[in-house]
């Protein structure tokens, strides 16, 4: 009970000393705190922007994939030896990238 009485006393003293100033400071905040509708609109707009960005990224990925696969197919038909050399280089680069992303302790580095 004493703890609650002490908290109530501190709260009352705070309101006496600073209550008016805190309320005035809250009223002067620009822009005002958005309401639920404004917050929902912000969330909806952000989701739409993210969805559009992901859609563009998918199309870019698809275009690059078709280009790379087409070039690899053309290289395979024209020069199987060059295609095999390119695949070997890609394999070695992949192993190098995997080795570089792991720490010596066995923990994978994460980038966000």
């Amino acid at each position: 009970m004493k703890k609650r009485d002490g908290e109530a006393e501190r709260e009352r003293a705070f309101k006496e000393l600073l209550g008016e100033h805190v309320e005035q400071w809250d009223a002067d905040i620009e822009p005002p705190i958005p309401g639920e509708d404004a917050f929902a609109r912000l969330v909806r707009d952000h989701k739409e922007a993210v969805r559009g960005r992901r859609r563009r990224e998918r199309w870019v990925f698809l275009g690059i994939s078709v280009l790379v696969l087409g070039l690899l197919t053309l290289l395979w038909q024209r020069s199987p030896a060059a295609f095999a050399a390119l695949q070997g280089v890609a394999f070695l680069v992949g192993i190098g990238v995997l080795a570089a992303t792991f720490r010596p302790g066995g923990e994978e580095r994460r980038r966000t």
Side-chain angles (χ1 to χ4, degrees):
M1 242 353 190
K2 260 191 171 188
K3 188 174 183 181
R4 287 187 182 180
D5 291 339
E7 287 179 15
E9 180 64 30
R10 283 193 299 252
E11 181 73 23
R12 189 187 59 73
F14 176 78
K15 284 185 179 180
E16 280 181 16
L17 293 173
L18 298 174
E20 178 182 326
H21 299 291
V22 170
E23 289 174 11
Q24 182 181 6
W25 182 66
D26 284 345
D28 290 342
I29 292 176
E30 292 291 333
I33 298 171
E36 269 186 57
D37 293 337
F39 183 70
R41 188 173 53 252
L42 285 173
V43 170
R44 186 174 50 250
D45 292 345
H46 177 71
K47 284 183 178 181
E48 289 176 11
V50 167
R51 193 176 304 126
R53 188 176 69 235
R54 286 184 180 162
R55 187 178 306 118
R56 282 190 304 276
E57 289 173 355
R58 274 188 233 120
W59 281 107
V60 168
F61 175 76
L62 180 65
I64 291 171
S65 299
V66 167
L67 179 67
V68 167
L69 289 175
L71 290 174
L72 285 175
T73 304
L74 182 64
L75 182 63
W76 180 45
Q77 291 176 351
R78 299 285 180 189
S79 175
F83 177 78
L86 182 64
Q87 292 299 307
V89 168
F91 181 71
L92 292 176
V93 169
I95 289 175
V97 168
L98 283 176
T101 58
F102 285 98
R103 292 186 180 162
E107 297 177 22
E108 184 179 345
R109 247 188 301 177
R110 292 186 181 182
R111 295 181 187 161
T112 56

